[in-house]
Amino acid sequence: MSVLILAEHDGQHIRQSTRSSINAAQARNEPVHLLLCSDHADTLAHEAQHIKGVDLVLHASAKHFAHPLAEDIASLIMKLGNDYTAILAAHTPFTRNILPRAAALLDVGMISDVIEIISPNTYVRSIYAGNILVTVKSSDTLQMFTIRTSAFKPAENQERAAPVQSVSAPDPFKRTRFIDEVHHVSDRPDLSSAKIIVSGGRPLGDQFEALLTPLAKKMNAAIGATRAAVDAGFAPNEWQVGSTGCIVAPQLYIAIGISGAVQHLAGMKDSQVIVAINHDPDAPIFKVADYGLVADLFEVLPELTDALN
Amino acid sequence: MKALVAVKRALDYNIVPRIRSDGTDVDIAGAKMSISPLDEIALEEALRLKEQNKVDEILVVSVGPAITQDVLRHGLAMGASRALLLEAESLLDQLGIAKLLHALVEREKPDLILLGKQSIDDEACQVGQMLAGLMNASQGTFASKLQLVNDEIIVTRETEAGTETLALMLPAVITADLRLNEPRFVKLPNLMMAKKKPIEIIPANELVTHLEPRIKRTQISPPATRPPGILVKDVADLVTTLNKSGALHS
């Protein structure tokens, strides 16, 4: 028996989060099949074939996968599911929309956002915004779970090409209609896989992007934001770091004007090095920071941008 | 049009959870419990649709032991038309909750089902999608904007790259994200009046017979804490320290 992984891509590339789930799946010592759903075949399948740890690429190509609906992918997973011992994906907005639906269709319980795989049916995950860890055990024959991207290293490429097998996509679900999508265009690296993240809070105000972009560019960093900054309209929603946004663990996280609400800390406290710059010496962010600077961010931000080379 | 809103009773968001001294569970004894914040946003959205005369009945539902009625009363005080408790003494997993809600949906036949995208305690982010799957209905998860237009609900949802807009035929399941709305403040007279309203109670095992959880907790522990950090005196000091730490090199 084998493991099935739901791949995620942006039309051009397989996402780093998928590579993390491929590495996580190796713990099971079973062949790994990667399910790729797209409206066009070649480049994505080619990339998928060459990811280390992938033994077979299942490619479902259909016109309606240009804007894939959870309804459609979940019914495809249901069709394939009983041939597998485990079905997993990274815990991203795309996959966490799909996998629970597929789990219900397969009558399987699901474990979300796993940070450690202890055995083929036992996992560690966090609850209460990272304040508590729990070990959970699933009694289902088929295991379904999502993994936290930042807790598993992304799989690299390999020379060997795994075979590609096409699978037919079920007929499109008629009750849901795609209307449109809005992508915030940014030339910054992807938040979920960046090595360095420069993140800002509400005090940056409507100068949020103007203030953080020069520093982020200099460090080749992604830009993150607090919920308050996003709610105020200073930063787009996909930049939100926290328990209800993106959970990250980069090599370096620079928190600027961030007080450190529990929900924000849950999204970044596993970063390797944390730097906090805040004018309030009592801000909770300093409790998790490796290096803290108590200062006015409007003064030190340009200074820091200049000082880095 | 009828809306069903499912809410979870959870530790209030202002309270830092702690593990019980016997190490078996989270200590919630005597702690303030509330409707999980994203579920409250889902209820608020239903209330707004009712105020726009798009929805005429709101049924607020929860699953749990008898004490769960306190959050249902809060739902009534916010403005829900009816409240119903699916009474279950033991802990259920997400699939069990979804199955219970599905059985209730078959009985109540709502046009719209709303709930939060995830709870503040378990953060599983599963029940809405599972319920939609069991119903073979459309799902609009992580919703930041809703609009009822004729027989469809137009949902703007938050994605990894920005937002996406879908049109769903009813009945449909919607899960609320943070920015859908800001729930109203409940006035004291409304809280008092809600105390007199009836709450219907259905034993969970009357609706669904096999609810034994597939997923069970075997251990609970605090996370590792980070070693204390240091304060640097200025930007130059920070850059020197970062250079030494190696954090700037990829």
Side-chain angles (χ1 to χ4, degrees):
Chain A
M1 294 285 267
S2 316
V3 182
L4 184 68
I5 295 176
L6 174 62
E8 182 175 357
H9 60 83
D10 60 7
Q12 261 93 48
H13 292 288
I14 308 286
R15 286 197 187 272
Q16 285 291 104
S17 56
T18 300
R19 290 174 178 267
S20 292
S21 53
I22 292 166
N23 250 348
Q26 305 306 318
R28 297 184 61 87
N29 285 316
E30 288 172 288
V32 171
H33 297 181
L34 188 66
L35 175 61
L36 176 65
C37 300
S38 71
D39 66 326
H40 61 286
D42 310 337
T43 53
L44 284 167
H46 184 263
E47 186 182 347
Q49 278 180 286
H50 289 90
I51 302 176
K52 200 173 169 186
V54 173
D55 298 290
L56 178 68
V57 176
L58 296 178
H59 188 226
S61 178
K63 227 178 175 175
H64 61 274
F65 282 157
H67 302 289
L69 296 176
E71 291 88 334
D72 289 321
I73 299 184
S75 68
L76 174 60
I77 293 174
M78 179 181 74
K79 215 175 73 176
L80 303 169
N82 286 317
D83 293 337
Y84 292 91
T85 59
I87 301 174
L88 68 136
H91 194 67
T92 66
F94 173 76
T95 52
R96 66 184 177 232
N97 187 28
I98 298 167
L99 236 58
R101 185 178 178 110
L105 296 175
L106 286 159
D107 193 27
V108 170
M110 187 182 139
I111 301 120
S112 292
D113 209 12
V114 165
I115 56 174
E116 191 187 344
I117 300 170
I118 302 217
S119 80
N121 65 2
T122 310
Y123 312 86
V124 179
R125 62 184 302 268
S126 74
I127 58 172
Y128 290 98
N131 274 302
I132 288 167
L133 298 180
V134 288
T135 304
V136 292
K137 193 172 175 180
S138 158
S139 60
D140 279 306
T141 321
L142 171 60
Q143 299 281 305
M144 285 186 80
F145 59 99
T146 55
I147 57 112
R148 180 171 296 182
T149 305
S150 61
F152 297 89
K153 280 206 175 79
E156 289 168 9
N157 289 330
Q158 65 178 6
E159 282 293 316
R160 186 176 69 86
V164 178
Q165 185 184 314
S166 42
V167 290
S168 60
D171 289 338
F173 185 80
K174 299 256 168 42
R175 302 179 62 83
T176 305
R177 187 163 49 89
F178 171 84
I179 299 179
D180 62 11
E181 60 190 338
V182 178
H183 282 186
H184 186 266
V185 183
S186 165
D187 56 357
R188 297 288 86 231
D190 186 37
L191 185 62
S192 61
S193 55
K195 288 199 165 135
I196 300 178
I197 295 172
V198 170
S199 198
R202 196 189 157 97
L204 287 155
D206 48 19
Q207 291 297 297
F208 192 94
E209 280 195 69
L211 284 163
L212 290 188
T213 305
L215 179 63
K217 269 196 174 148
K218 213 153 188 185
M219 305 184 82
N220 191 30
I223 301 180
T226 61
R227 175 194 173 179
V230 177
D231 283 357
F234 302 147
N237 62 271
E238 65 274 16
W239 285 3
Q240 186 179 321
V241 172
S243 53
T244 50
C246 193
I247 294 179
V248 298
Q251 181 182 307
L252 175 61
Y253 188 92
I254 305 184
I256 299 166
I258 292 176
S259 61
V262 175
Q263 287 78 8
H264 186 79
L265 299 182
M268 45 66 78
K269 69 184 164 111
D270 291 327
S271 305
Q272 282 171 44
V273 174
I274 297 172
V275 171
I277 302 175
N278 200 302
H279 66 88
D280 174 11
D282 297 324
I285 190 78
F286 288 118
K287 291 209 175 79
V288 300
D290 299 283
Y291 309 116
L293 176 58
V294 179
D296 176 20
L297 67 95
F298 295 100
E299 273 172 31
V300 298
L301 203 47
E303 215 182 306
L304 178 62
T305 309
D306 285 343
L308 288 166
N309 278 306
Chain B
M1 184 166 307
K2 180 169 172 179
L4 186 153
V5 183
V7 299
K8 182 172 185 179
R9 181 180 193 262
L11 200 58
D12 188 81
Y13 78 101
N14 282 312
I15 295 167
V16 179
R18 288 183 209 292
I19 297 173
R20 248 177 3 211
S21 54
D22 63 4
T24 55
D25 204 347
V26 178
D27 191 359
I28 55 166
K32 187 184 176 197
M33 303 296 280
S34 301
I35 296 180
S36 185
L38 289 159
D39 294 338
E40 194 179 6
I41 292 175
L43 178 54
E44 173 65 35
E45 197 64 15
L47 295 171
R48 291 184 188 190
L49 290 169
K50 191 169 174 234
E51 283 157 3
Q52 294 162 27
N53 297 316
K54 305 258 182 179
V55 161
D56 40 46
E57 186 189 354
I58 300 171
L59 172 60
V60 60
V61 179
S62 194
V63 179
I67 196 164
T68 311
Q69 289 177 76
D70 59 356
V71 297
L72 288 172
R73 293 225 178 272
H74 189 85
L76 288 168
M78 280 178 77
S81 329
R82 288 166 56 206
L84 193 152
L85 173 66
L86 297 168
E87 193 173 8
E89 283 306 322
S90 60
L91 208 63
L92 303 177
D93 61 9
Q94 283 73 24
L95 184 63
I97 306 270
K99 284 181 176 178
L100 269 176
L101 292 175
H102 180 221
L104 185 67
V105 162
E106 296 209 312
R107 193 162 145 156
E108 292 282 341
K109 306 243 183 300
D111 305 285
L112 200 57
I113 295 109
L114 295 129
L115 60 166
K117 73 163 177 177
Q118 65 190 42
S119 66
I120 194 169
D121 45 11
D122 275 330
E123 297 174 331
C125 189
Q126 296 179 6
V127 175
Q129 297 89 309
M130 285 180 160
L131 174 60
L134 295 173
M135 291 169 62
N136 194 29
S138 293
Q139 67 184 57
T141 54
F142 327 146
S144 60
K145 196 181 162 199
L146 287 189
Q147 224 185 329
L148 268 167
V149 182
N150 304 323
D151 287 340
E152 282 186 327
I153 184 149
I154 314 294
V155 187
T156 299
R157 42 190 308 274
E158 299 199 352
T159 65
E160 194 139 284
T163 59
E164 170 185 77
T165 304
L166 303 175
L168 317 181
M169 284 168 73
L170 303 175
V173 178
I174 305 294
T175 76
D177 214 320
L178 287 170
R179 280 168 281 278
L180 187 57
N181 60 52
E182 262 181 62
R184 66 197 60 196
F185 184 75
V186 180
K187 297 188 189 90
L188 190 62
N190 293 2
L191 281 172
M192 299 309 286
M193 276 189 310
K195 282 190 177 168
K196 293 181 196 134
K197 290 189 180 166
I199 292 177
E200 194 182 337
I201 298 175
I202 304 177
N205 55 15
E206 237 172 59
L207 275 186
V208 180
T209 41
H210 299 290
L211 284 171
E212 178 67 8
R214 318 285 183 80
I215 293 155
K216 284 181 178 159
R217 185 187 290 175
T218 59
Q219 210 184 314
I220 183 164
S221 60
T225 49
R226 294 181 75 96
I230 55 162
L231 284 181
V232 294
K233 60 180 197 303
D234 54 25
V235 168
D237 190 9
L238 176 62
V239 174
T240 313
T241 313
L242 280 177
N243 271 324
K244 268 193 218 154
S245 76
L248 292 173
H249 309 286
S250 48

